[in-house]
Amino acid sequence: MRARAVYLIAAALIVASWLANYGYYRYYRLPEPGFLRHYIETTYTPSVAFDLLYVANKDDKRKPISATAEGLEALRFYPVQVHQELRRQTIYALRGYFDENRMQERQEGEPLRLNALKVQYSDGSVREENVGEIIAYRPAWPPDKTKEPPVRFSYGRGSSDNSGSAAVTAVRPATLSGVSSAWLEKLGGAFRYEIKANDTHGMPQQPSSATVPLEMDTGQMLSLDYRFQLKEAADVLSVYNVQLREHFTEPDGNQYDYIVFANYTPYPTDAQMRAYVREMRGREE
């Protein structure tokens, strides 16, 4: 009788341990590693780079090392880096850039829209992976350097609170007719920006906020302040590269776009990562 009781107790302990391990597995482990969802605007020129974030369980050995995309032959990647260490997952960053030595002469083309890239991994495998949405603008290459833009860079800054600012100064008269980005409609109220203008002596106008169209005189400074306000769980772990295009028109009709880069890169808490794991596990079921 005593031996039977010991057996039952041991069996109960084994089952309890199994259930605890199963609970741990469901609650904390990703069903498989993968890329976060990206919403990227990029320009097919050597001066522009973007990051792809890949999340894996800590004991996963395989890491992405490179990726290719049809139509972006000059796309290359720096060695993968650790973006963030969490208790049970690691987020890696794969930074892509366009190699100037591989750029070929071309006329301006329609933007290239991508959802998947062919990814090479450290174990030698190659897989087509969905990374979200990438829009690659393809201006003519090489650029026409004979056209001097009507505005020049004055300053730019970014902050850890997901806000930033960039300013330009007019080198000759031009009118700002608007600001656009492919992601403004999707972001909605989760992204705010404000245009501010100074007079030609650098003194703020009253009020400082400006509306478009805005006529700028030579020497006048214009700044664009932005802030991401992502609150939804699905967005907090998304990656956003927003290109805010300021559209300028000169008195002779020439048009020029100045780009302000506004990026949101997630640094999730362990609680946010657990929620992400639960979401991924729910998709698997």
Side-chain angles (χ1 to χ4, degrees):
M1 191 70 178
R2 183 177 180 182
R4 178 180 174 83
V6 170
Y7 172 79
L8 290 174
I9 292 172
L13 290 173
I14 290 171
V15 171
S17 176
W18 182 86
L19 290 173
N21 288 334
Y22 178 75
Y24 168 85
Y25 184 85
R26 281 190 60 83
Y27 196 70
Y28 292 114
R29 287 185 60 82
L30 285 166
E32 64 174 297
F35 288 90
L36 297 180
R37 189 155 187 84
H38 299 75
Y39 299 95
I40 291 176
E41 284 181 290
T42 187
T43 303
Y44 194 15
T45 57
S47 60
V48 179
F50 61 89
D51 287 346
L52 298 176
L53 298 190
Y54 177 88
V55 59
N57 297 312
K58 278 190 172 293
D59 57 357
D60 289 327
K61 303 300 182 185
R62 190 184 68 174
K63 302 180 184 68
I65 58 174
S66 189
T68 57
E70 186 176 353
L72 300 177
E73 289 75 16
L75 178 62
R76 294 294 181 270
F77 286 86
Y78 293 109
V80 65
Q81 301 288 325
V82 172
H83 170 71
Q84 185 183 5
E85 291 274 11
L86 293 113
R87 288 187 65 187
R88 295 174 177 87
Q89 279 78 35
T90 301
I91 301 177
Y92 299 95
L94 198 60
R95 173 157 294 186
Y97 67 98
F98 301 110
D99 186 348
E100 185 169 3
N101 295 324
R102 297 178 181 272
M103 298 288 287
Q104 298 180 354
E105 185 175 345
R106 66 172 186 267
Q107 298 297 315
E108 183 175 359
E110 289 295 316
L112 183 65
R113 294 176 178 266
L114 303 167
N115 297 108
L117 299 177
K118 188 173 289 186
V119 180
Q120 294 84 45
Y121 288 94
S122 56
D123 63 359
S125 61
V126 178
R127 295 176 57 179
E128 187 170 277
E129 301 282 12
N130 190 309
V131 297
E133 300 179 53
I134 299 176
I135 301 174
Y137 300 103
R138 297 184 289 179
W141 184 264
D144 185 356
K145 296 183 179 181
T146 63
K147 295 181 179 179
E148 182 184 355
V151 295
R152 68 169 183 268
F153 172 81
S154 293
Y155 70 82
R157 66 166 185 85
S159 175
S160 59
D161 66 356
N162 302 311
S163 67
S165 180
V168 295
T169 300
V171 296
R172 56 182 182 271
T175 299
L176 175 69
S177 59
V179 177
S180 67
S181 165
W183 304 131
L184 289 181
E185 183 176 355
K186 173 177 174 47
L187 283 163
F191 182 83
R192 301 291 187 185
Y193 72 88
E194 182 180 22
I195 298 167
K196 297 179 180 179
N198 294 2
D199 64 20
T200 55
H201 302 291
M203 299 299 292
Q205 292 181 345
Q206 298 297 329
S208 59
S209 295
T211 57
V212 293
L214 174 65
E215 295 184 359
M216 296 182 65
D217 295 324
T218 301
Q220 187 172 6
M221 181 182 293
L222 177 148
S223 67
L224 187 152
D225 300 340
Y226 66 85
R227 180 182 295 274
F228 289 90
Q229 297 174 311
L230 300 173
K231 297 179 181 178
E232 297 296 327
D235 282 332
V236 170
L237 264 77
S238 295
V239 180
Y240 282 92
N241 282 21
V242 178
Q243 291 191 357
L244 295 165
R245 294 175 177 267
E246 299 176 336
H247 305 296
F248 292 96
T249 302
E250 299 184 69
D252 61 4
N254 285 333
Q255 297 181 335
Y256 173 76
D257 287 350
Y258 182 85
I259 300 175
V260 176
F261 297 91
N263 298 335
Y264 172 83
T265 304
Y267 286 88
T269 63
D270 281 299
Q272 289 170 333
M273 181 54 67
R274 286 196 297 271
Y276 177 79
V277 169
R278 289 196 297 271
E279 179 188 354
M280 293 299 102
R281 297 203 66 81
R283 292 182 184 181
E284 292 288 310
E285 296 175 351

